Amino acid sequence: MKKLMDYVKELSFVRVGGSAEEKKAAEWLMGEINQIAEDTGREELRGEYMTFQIPDAAVEKCSVSAAGREIVCAAFLRSGNIDRECDLVYLDEASEIDFANAPDLEGKAVLLNRLTDKAVYKRLAEHKVAAFLVMQGKYYFSAEEASLYSRRLREHFTREGVIPGFLIPAADALWLVQEEVEKIHLTLKQEETESESRNLLAVIEGTEKKEDSIVLTAHFDSVPVGTGSWDNATGAAALLGIFRHFAAHPAKRTLRFVWCGSEELGLLGSKAYVEQNQELLDKIGFCFNFDMCGTALGANKICVTGEKELQTFVEQYCKMNGYSAIIGYGVHSSDSAPFCDKDIPALGLSRETATAELHTIHDLLPALSEKAMDRNVAFAVQIIGDVANAAVIPVKKGMPEDTRKELDNYFHREKEKEKEKEAK
């Protein structure tokens, strides 16, 4: 029988959503799912694929140059095209005050520290900037260490308009600012496309309460740098270990296993599952999600999304079973979120550490531990079993008002809510 870290090692390669490598990872996972079904004498548990289309882009050319210097860069996918020299403006935190104090920005390129706030992007659109650049890494990082990679410009940004975007190393951003470089030439030529991604599904039917079910999720894709060992080969491997246990020891309630594709591109796999399985949602009473487990150093973590009684349940359960964990509350930015959006309470089980990094070239195997993986999975099997075998699921469906607001914000529904209020 394979150890959990054997699974992690075999899945540790770049596997971006919609790519041939993600498909390769899916085929490997399917082989392991079916092998577990065979080993436990449960051939009926064989997995199945669920494919879905994802937005993508083919980049023909991406370049940044200034003052005779070529700057390593990556593109924001689906952010449009540009080929021109622009005036360059750096806007510190790109706050409302920074924009108010800036010169006329129309047609200029704006350098940003980061782009996580849609209000910043809206200001860029309102000021009719020609393009934006986002710095990445530390000033002392090489271009490789800065872990540049192309990422899709999310839909909630493009609602305000499409602006060509670039990522550059912080070292080059520092040079641009310190040398007071005024002009920059930007070239981005890309074509919007679609790619096929996939989820892997397996169902272990309940022994008594077959109509009631619990969904178990973990994504298996990665970003384009590093090997995605921690994020999230560990979660996909943990789900295989849990599947192996319940294949041999089925619970009273049905367990629906979903290895999600394209999570790193915006939870696209779990969103697709929810959209394509509306008829199941009323019968799903709980979600367990696994995103980043098994670090040798660090602490266990549980993200609680649900009513107050779920918080109390988890706190007391950990005390009763001697499981040390940092317990957080709110929306988990992972594959449980689309289920929570349908009023399905969720626990995100993971293990965090300050000694390793995700979404960089340093997401590698050495930070992980077989013992830590075993402990994480053993606790998961225990709590899943107790919930799945309970006479009554110990927490009700639904979300408190503050979490519902957080979900609305997370899924960028502010404009929809404003229209609803206006209609009333």
Side-chain angles (χ1 to χ4, degrees):
M1 186 172 68
K2 286 185 177 179
K3 294 181 179 180
L4 293 170
M5 280 301 295
D6 292 334
Y7 291 138
V8 175
K9 290 172 183 176
E10 291 192 53
L11 198 53
S12 289
F13 57 90
V14 172
R15 47 200 190 278
V16 177
S19 68
E21 290 76 19
E22 188 199 41
K23 183 178 180 182
K24 175 184 173 183
E27 291 170 346
W28 175 82
L29 277 166
M30 184 64 78
E32 295 301 326
I33 292 166
N34 292 338
Q35 186 62 55
I36 289 169
E38 181 180 330
D39 292 345
T40 54
R42 301 287 305 277
E43 291 288 344
E44 76 279 10
L45 302 183
R46 294 179 67 84
E48 61 177 301
Y49 292 112
M50 180 196 132
T51 59
F52 54 95
Q53 296 299 116
I54 63 171
D56 205 346
V59 177
E60 182 179 328
K61 187 173 183 181
C62 178
S63 67
V64 174
S65 60
R69 176 170 169 174
E70 290 292 328
I71 296 174
V72 176
C73 64
F76 276 89
L77 303 177
R78 299 175 77 93
S79 70
N81 297 285
I82 189 172
D83 186 9
R84 55 173 287 196
E85 185 177 72
C86 303
D87 291 340
L88 179 65
V89 179
Y90 172 52
L91 281 187
D92 288 350
E93 282 298 288
S95 67
E96 187 176 9
I97 295 173
D98 289 325
F99 273 90
N101 290 333
D104 179 14
L105 295 175
E106 185 172 353
K108 294 181 172 62
V110 173
L111 176 62
L112 304 170
N113 294 330
R114 65 191 66 84
L115 182 63
T116 56
D117 188 344
K118 55 185 175 291
V120 172
Y121 189 88
K122 184 177 181 180
R123 292 184 195 116
L124 293 172
E126 289 173 344
H127 285 78
K128 299 180 181 180
V129 306
F132 66 91
L133 301 95
V134 179
M135 63 187 78
Q136 189 162 327
K138 306 292 185 182
Y139 79 89
Y140 48 84
F141 280 4
S142 66
E144 181 185 14
E145 290 170 329
S147 298
L148 293 181
Y149 58 86
S150 293
R151 57 197 70 194
R152 182 168 56 88
L153 191 62
R154 300 292 171 86
E155 287 86 350
H156 61 278
F157 286 147
T158 57
R159 290 171 193 165
E160 305 296 338
V162 175
I163 307 170
F166 301 79
L167 296 116
I168 64 172
D172 291 298
L174 179 65
W175 172 76
L176 288 169
V177 172
Q178 287 188 331
E179 295 299 316
E180 298 182 349
V181 174
E182 296 180 350
K183 301 283 186 180
I184 192 164
H185 194 281
L186 303 171
T187 302
L188 178 54
K189 188 175 181 181
Q190 60 179 321
E191 180 181 356
E192 292 189 1
T193 62
E194 285 192 338
S195 299
E196 185 176 79
S197 186
R198 56 196 43 77
N199 296 330
L200 286 81
L201 315 179
V203 178
I204 301 177
E205 193 172 78
T207 58
E208 295 181 18
K209 303 175 184 291
K210 297 180 182 180
E211 295 302 311
D212 296 335
S213 60
I214 292 169
V215 67
L216 313 172
T217 54
H219 76 89
F220 67 93
D221 64 310
S222 76
V223 299
V225 295
T227 58
S229 300
W230 182 28
D231 183 19
N232 187 37
T234 57
L239 206 55
L240 282 173
I242 295 163
F243 178 70
R244 182 169 61 201
H245 172 85
F246 286 105
H249 309 283
K252 292 179 180 179
R253 289 179 176 80
T254 295
L255 300 180
R256 300 185 181 278
F257 290 78
V258 187
W259 286 265
C260 301
S262 297
E263 186 266 1
E264 299 290 4
L265 302 180
L267 314 184
L268 300 185
S270 49
K271 286 179 180 177
Y273 182 89
V274 168
E275 289 168 3
Q276 295 184 32
N277 292 278
Q278 293 287 327
E279 75 284 357
L280 295 177
L281 300 181
D282 286 343
K283 295 294 185 180
I284 296 176
F286 211 97
C287 173
F288 289 93
N289 183 61
F290 301 87
D291 198 345
M292 302 188 302
C293 310
T295 54
L297 302 175
N300 302 318
K301 188 173 181 180
I302 303 176
C303 184
V304 177
T305 313
E307 298 284 0
K308 179 66 178 177
E309 63 181 0
L310 178 57
Q311 301 178 18
T312 303
F313 168 72
V314 172
E315 290 166 358
Q316 297 306 315
Y317 192 92
C318 287
K319 289 178 181 178
M320 290 170 61
N321 292 280
Y323 189 74
S324 174
I326 299 168
I327 302 175
Y329 309 101
V331 177
H332 189 189
S333 186
S334 189
D335 285 309
S336 55
F339 293 93
C340 296
D341 199 39
K342 300 299 182 180
D343 286 331
I344 297 169
L347 296 181
L349 304 182
S350 60
R351 185 168 169 84
E352 65 175 18
T353 181
T355 61
E357 296 178 350
L358 68 155
H359 298 176
T360 73
I361 61 171
H362 302 295
D363 184 354
L364 304 169
L365 284 164
L368 307 174
S369 156
E370 183 75 52
K371 288 183 178 179
M373 283 290 295
D374 287 342
R375 287 194 297 268
N376 286 160
V377 169
F379 176 77
V381 163
Q382 183 178 358
I383 192 170
I384 292 166
D386 286 343
V387 172
N389 290 317
V392 177
I393 289 183
V395 295
K396 63 183 178 182
K397 294 182 72 169
M399 295 290 141
E401 185 177 351
D402 58 343
T403 303
R404 174 53 57 195
K405 289 179 180 177
E406 190 180 349
L407 283 161
D408 287 340
N409 182 63
Y410 184 81
F411 288 110
H412 311 288
R413 286 193 289 255
E414 297 87 346
K415 289 188 176 181
E416 295 174 24
K417 293 297 179 180
E418 287 174 7
K419 288 180 181 178
E420 288 176 10
K421 288 180 180 179
E422 290 173 2
K424 292 178 181 179

